[in-house]
Amino acid sequence: MTVQTNEQLQDELDALNAQITKQGSAVRELKKAGDADAVAEAVAKLQALKINAAEMGKSLVSDEPEFNRKAFDELVLRKMFVVPSFEIHGGVKGLFDLGPPACSLKAAMIDLWRKHFVLAESMLEMECTCLTPEAVLKTSGHVDRFTDLMVKDPQTAECFRADKLLEDAIDSLLEANPTMPVEEREDHLRIQRQADAFSPTELDELLIKYDCKGPSGEAYTPSFPFNLMFKTSIGPEGTSVGYLRPETAQGLFVNYRRLLDLNAGKMPFAAAQIGLGFRNEIAPRSGLLRVREFCMGEIEHFVNPKDKSHPNFKSVTDKELVLFGRDDQLGSGKTKTIACGEAVESGLINNETLAYFMARTQLYMEKIGMDPQRLRFRQHLATEMAHYAADCWDLEIKSSYGWQECVGHADRACYDLEVHSRATKTSMVATQKVDPPQEMEVAKLKFDRKLLGQAFKGDQRVVSGMLESLAESWTDFEPIATKLENDGKTTVEGFEITKEMMTWTKQKKTVHEIKFTPSVIEPSFGMGRILYSLLEHSFYQRESDEQRVVMRFTPQVAPEKCAVLPISSNPECNEIVDDIARDLMDSDLATRVDKSTAAIGRRYSRSDELGIPFAVTVDFDTLNDGTVTLRERDSTVQVRLPKNDINYLLFQIVHSRMTWEDVMKKYPVVSTGDDTEVAAEDAVTVVEQTSRGAFRRPAQPK
Amino acid sequence: MTVQTNEQLQDELDALNAQITKQGSAVRELKKAGDADAVAEAVAKLQALKINAAEMGKSLVSDEPEFNRKAFDELVLRKMFVVPSFEIHGGVKGLFDLGPPACSLKAAMIDLWRKHFVLAESMLEMECTCLTPEAVLKTSGHVDRFTDLMVKDPQTAECFRADKLLEDAIDSLLEANPTMPVEEREDHLRIQRQADAFSPTELDELLIKYDCKGPSGEAYTPSFPFNLMFKTSIGPEGTSVGYLRPETAQGLFVNYRRLLDLNAGKMPFAAAQIGLGFRNEIAPRSGLLRVREFCMGEIEHFVNPKDKSHPNFKSVTDKELVLFGRDDQLGSGKTKTIACGEAVESGLINNETLAYFMARTQLYMEKIGMDPQRLRFRQHLATEMAHYAADCWDLEIKSSYGWQECVGHADRACYDLEVHSRATKTSMVATQKVDPPQEMEVAKLKFDRKLLGQAFKGDQRVVSGMLESLAESWTDFEPIATKLENDGKTTVEGFEITKEMMTWTKQKKTVHEIKFTPSVIEPSFGMGRILYSLLEHSFYQRESDEQRVVMRFTPQVAPEKCAVLPISSNPECNEIVDDIARDLMDSDLATRVDKSTAAIGRRYSRSDELGIPFAVTVDFDTLNDGTVTLRERDSTVQVRLPKNDINYLLFQIVHSRMTWEDVMKKYPVVSTGDDTEVAAEDAVTVVEQTSRGAFRRPAQPK
């Protein structure tokens, strides 16, 4: 509903802005004509339109979920979800520690990630080292190109990221000019969206154009590339350069040969890794969203470059995704909601495997409780993508810091395997059965090994392997043949081949298997960013009392599933509490016991702050009839049930086989609404099942 | 039984060696006397004794569990448990990657660690960054003192760890002289055990004494300290030095204040962290046992220095530990098996909390399936311990590389908190209720704040806080008072205090709470070393066929709990296989489906190699009556049971509520012994329950 309204509003606003542009130009015409009265009238009309638009813009914004940063930050720090690292020593920008509740939330997120991706599809998980020798990152291109453009203040020598300065300058400009015509505004936004894709010269010009100045008031130095990797030295001799990996992917690429063998040579297959990455950000900011040490989860799906279908694609064809395609970013500025299957068919998403992973990512986000209204997939602009990449889509999550890339989905073609193959002279070729065998046109090659050896020495096998791989399809080989016939030579992947090096014949061949260097489809998760976004999406204040803050973690991802509280310090009560807690823990349902003397409402609040979805209370009735109350966090509704049912119920809910609705149908509801009002020892009223419609339902993000 | 025999043998060998020493000196006497015949006879007797001793030594060794390194290494590499990092780029010494099976084994080990330590005792888990600013590691002492002594070959400039050269030299010496008298041998071993505790000068002298030479044939350079931390630079300016943390502990110490607040000020409490540590080892070796990047699990238990009792100590008083105390290391060379309670009472282990964690570590090791016969706790020698430490015990695990420290247990007193307190002027003081309140003699202080301020400036509060903390007990304060009375001044924690700075009176006071800087008891786990040791302890070859290798992971720690195999590729069979697997996965029991066309025996072997404890086989009977076979890995015994019972059974076993014995009592046994012999489609023979005694039991390490 709200989305609809918002969209309608946006459409009206767009129309209004067009009117303003039109009226503005009318005013200019009238001024030229010198008709003072008419000008005054037109200007009044223009101003009225602008006021209208500003008002409309406001209600557009206020339709977003409210976010109380002060209350949120207070909770995050007090409960030690996230704290600045080395705080008592003054801290370090861009480094944060996870405290107890975030630590277990992260463990739960990673556990679900493993189940959802790794286990569900038998991916091969690895754990590679962070320390990486220079040769590997030279090969991958990181030593030469993993840079951000940096400028300095010429007086203070303070360093800044040039593209972020540009983005900020455009933000300030737009803020200072709320009535800027839509088209002009869009021009600025287009520049802003491409900020990290400009060349140093282009950026320097734009910084001047937008009048960016350093803290000293002087213009910045020209921009220059700054490598974002942390450098160190491995070994006692001090001669061997190493870096902290900026991503986990390289460890999987260099292990590809062994992984393929372990997979018995079968294609396609995927490898995965969860681990730390390090980037020496020039200007860390936005809380946990841009930090210098972070947890990533990466998947490398190796696939035949000519057949990027996915065996499980049919399970997601109908899954709708919010897509912000390249054309829309440069055009309408609006996203489209399209089913996965349709997006592939229409060519918007390049291939099935890429779309499959995008849908799986969306499902993962929904499973961990991310607000689906604040998720979208943004396609990389042509200028953002590496030359070899086939297509890239970022899952962006909206938080109070705006839309942020949290999961990249890139079809990196054969680039990664090929560069390592060339640098190490290791074959990265895979074979795949053709079933049933097909008759195909191929080129049959015969090499002059001597000539080849003289020309390429140690690279001889790489070159011949490459040519043989091309020769498997006449269509692929024909352009090379033509070139050699006509010019006597040609260049393949940087090697110059001459006509004398080989002869070939076009043949028909029944092909039983094909050989290829696999393409890599890479979903890459920034787990820290996802964690932070989830904290924001989960946070809310109770309508009844703003002081009572809640984390809305789903039972599946909540780090602790249940709180168990005795109503009194009676030893018999305590014993039952311990028994229930031990039972739950034995079934891997993490449980928190709170035997403190605080009022029961206060203890519920404490468990709400940690996002514990359920609370079991042992009271004096428990001693008589063995029943306890079970409270659901968001609705604060309680049911009464035998204590021995708790374990089974919670296990079923946590494993998504049952819902709280089912529980309410099965057991009598004994309390509703604001439980701070419910005196602990009160005989609680049994509410009729029929009145359940009146209960406040779990608050859902708007 | 075998241990007893081994011990008896050792005793006999000790006696024999004493006889050899005696006979040797008799020979020398006879030689002096010039009686050639008597000499010849005595020498013959001596040689006979030596041959006896050498033989006895051999049978002592062969009593150890056999370890086939070749077969083990082959399996570890082929199944990608562990592979050298960046292999195709030539690799880097001391860096290893975990492949799929070790990756999930590690996840299971960590999961159990979390449950056994963190959840069971409500420890506060954190995740701090690896990147650490210099100030923190300067404070902790790592920048100045985290070094190993290094020597170089003067010709080749190759670097070596001086203590390891000494250890190796002693190993070679002893190996070359198998008949060396026991006492002389013991002298060398004593030196070897202290190798890492010598000063540079002492080490240089010993290297000369043991005639250590570099690869070039020349003597080494004098030894010098080499800092083992990886250095880098944080931030774009390049001016801020950082290191990769060499341990996870510092992150917890610097967060102590916040952790205490989160714990509502209650003492004692523990914080924990699992994460990476980095050490630039001079000479990495011994497989995964000495590497440059490793996973640690550390616990910091904060406790009142005057009351190191532990509330749960009674749960472990009877737990027996194999202890290798300081005196025994320098004396008998033998370990003692002592109950925890007794070890604390006799003063062998310094305090309850330290002993409690040692017992919990032992229990953890048993839970993950480590061979208890290859575990011992070795106490640090006085020369090994830091000056501030109260007591240290390493859990050592025996592998084919000998005894290796895998878990440290150190009582580090107040050192860590005090250094950070002083460096950052942050109070690290905790308070604890005295219940019931006690009347105590205290010192009441009155400071001359002006004098104090002049003398200590910014440190004024630290000094006054320290003195006030001492004044809480007259016994602690009296020596200071006496010094001030007599000399007019004294030094406390490096600060010079003069008589003029304060006045004091001795008073009686009813004390309701006391203040103190907590002591830290620190169990520190090298997870990588534990993982590697577990791989060795778990590996065996089937007696029937050496080619069939098995990993003996317990159901609790096995990364995959069950294999599910169809006997044929019949679609109906496959569907049942998928159903069973999905059900198990839904209950968090990781499952491997193997639908390959390999013979069923071959597929069992594959799952044995990965240490999967159970295999379910769906055959043609399943289609008729819904029953399947369930095979136990080590005995290879199979039972037949309804497929719907599988999920419950395995869940109970994995959660230690049921054993395989229980399963065998409940269901008919249908196959025993070497299952490669069992043709897949054979009607399997039902073996009488009474014959079960004849089954080969799971092989246990000797």
Side-chain angles (χ1 to χ4, degrees), chain B residues 672-693:
Chain B
T672 74
D674 190 344
D675 40 38
T676 50
E677 306 284 307
V678 181
E681 290 81 4
D682 276 7
V684 276
T685 330
V686 176
V687 179
E688 292 297 320
Q689 292 250 351
T690 46
S691 72
R692 254 206 345 268

Side-chain angles (χ1 to χ4, degrees), chain A residues 112-130:
Chain A
L112 275 176
W113 195 88
R114 252 195 198 113
K115 280 174 196 150
H116 185 79
F117 291 102
V118 180
L119 291 178
E121 316 213 14
S122 303
M123 293 179 181
L124 302 177
E125 188 184 343
M126 290 200 73
E127 198 176 300
C128 306
T129 60
C130 298

Side-chain angles (χ1 to χ4, degrees), chain A residues 448-635:
Chain A
D448 183 331
R449 291 279 169 195
K450 204 174 143 194
L451 262 182
L452 224 57
Q454 282 168 356
F456 305 117
K457 306 210 168 61
D459 286 339
Q460 190 190 155
R461 269 156 187 276
V462 177
V463 175
S464 61
M466 213 169 57
L467 290 167
E468 268 172 344
S469 166
L470 285 163
E472 301 228 350
S473 146
W474 180 255
T475 329
D476 291 346
F477 188 74
E478 197 170 20
I480 294 166
T482 314
K483 264 285 207 186
L484 289 178
E485 290 288 3
N486 297 345
D487 309 343
K489 62 180 182 180
T490 185
T491 303
V492 181
E493 297 274 350
F495 294 102
E496 195 183 87
I497 317 288
T498 64
K499 198 180 168 181
E500 292 71 32
M501 288 178 185
M502 58 178 174
T503 58
W504 60 90
T505 48
K506 183 173 166 184
Q507 292 190 345
K508 288 207 170 168
K509 190 178 155 190
T510 307
V511 176
H512 296 266
E513 61 169 35
I514 45 162
K515 287 187 181 176
F516 52 84
T517 301
S519 274
V520 169
I521 315 269
E522 179 189 83
S524 170
F525 291 69
M527 302 304 280
R529 290 183 176 190
I530 297 170
L531 175 81
Y532 178 81
S533 307
L534 184 57
L535 291 181
E536 271 205 15
H537 288 203
S538 301
F539 175 81
Y540 70 97
Q541 298 169 286
R542 291 222 186 266
E543 279 173 36
S544 54
D545 179 358
E546 290 220 331
Q547 295 301 308
R548 296 183 61 202
V549 292
V550 186
M551 284 294 191
R552 185 198 288 121
F553 301 136
T554 64
Q556 288 73 39
V557 84
E560 291 173 307
K561 311 301 185 190
C562 189
V564 190
L565 324 168
I567 210 104
S568 94
S569 58
N570 176 319
E572 281 176 83
C573 280
N574 278 336
E575 205 174 300
I576 296 174
V577 163
D578 290 338
D579 284 348
I580 294 174
R582 193 172 37 245
D583 250 28
L584 289 167
M585 298 281 273
D586 275 354
S587 298
D588 289 347
L589 299 165
T591 301
R592 164 172 298 247
V593 169
D594 186 349
K595 290 183 187 168
S596 75
T597 52
I600 197 80
R602 178 77 203 99
R603 282 186 276 163
Y604 286 146
S605 274
R606 273 187 209 154
S607 90
D608 292 345
E609 289 179 337
L610 294 170
I612 305 175
F614 301 104
V616 168
T617 305
V618 172
D619 54 26
F620 294 109
D621 287 347
T622 314
L623 302 179
N624 298 325
D625 62 8
T627 64
V628 293
T629 61
L630 176 65
R631 170 190 184 265
E632 196 276 335
R633 175 196 59 213
D634 295 311
S635 61

